[in-house]
Structures are given as structure tokens and as C-alpha cells.
Amino acid sequence: MVGFNDLLSNSYQLVKYIDPRNIDVRKLVGIGEPLPTKLEPPKMRQLWELAGGYRNIIRLAGLFGASAVVLGAYGAHTLLASKDPSLE
């Protein structure tokens, strides 16, 4: 019976001489062509191309975001100006 230490020692020797990072498993099993080593960088697209048909929804979201900031600042400064003790 093979002990754990023997198995570990043999595995270490195998990994020591055969670097598993360089083995292409797809080619080894025969599934297909090996994967390319370097991928092409994605094509840079302009922002308006990414928006596509959702351009008006994105504009509306920007308008809602800006109005939330303005109304929040207005409310905070209005509450600071009033010295109502129940707000503290």
C-alpha cells in the first residue's frame, strides 16, 4: 500500500520537473485547438455607442441624480437655518 508521504513525494517530483502551468489540457485530451496565449484587447468604443437605445433613460437617471443632490443640499441648509428644538 502506498503511503501518503510516498504519494506526496512522487507528486512533488512530478510537479518539480513538469510545470503544470505550461500544459494545454485541451490539446492533451484532444478536445480541440489550443487556446491562444494572448488575447486581443477589446475595441474601445465611445460612450454614446455603449448607451445605444437607452440614451434617454440614462439622461433621465442623470437628471434625477442631480435633482437629488440639489434637494438634499437645500433641505440640509434649510434645517440648519431653522432653530426648531424638535429637529435636534
Side-chain angles (χ1 to χ4, degrees):
M1 179 163 198
V2 177
F4 179 73
N5 289 334
D6 294 335
L7 185 63
L8 187 65
S9 173
N10 291 339
S11 299
Y12 174 73
Q13 293 298 324
L14 179 67
V15 170
K16 183 177 169 185
Y17 292 110
I18 300 173
D19 189 7
R21 295 172 291 182
N22 295 333
I23 297 174
D24 189 8
V25 177
R26 292 174 54 97
K27 187 176 179 183
L28 185 68
V29 177
I31 294 176
E33 294 295 319
L35 297 173
T37 55
K38 281 192 167 183
L39 297 176
E40 299 178 7
K43 179 187 168 211
M44 295 300 295
R45 294 176 21 174
Q46 298 296 328
L47 186 59
W48 60 82
E49 292 175 353
L50 292 175
Y54 300 107
R55 181 172 293 145
N56 291 331
I57 294 174
I58 293 173
R59 287 181 181 168
L60 188 63
L63 180 66
F64 283 156
S67 64
V69 169
V70 169
L71 290 173
Y74 175 74
H77 290 286
T78 306
L79 289 177
L80 276 177
S82 67
K83 296 294 182 183
D84 190 11
S86 67
L87 295 176
E88 292 178 2

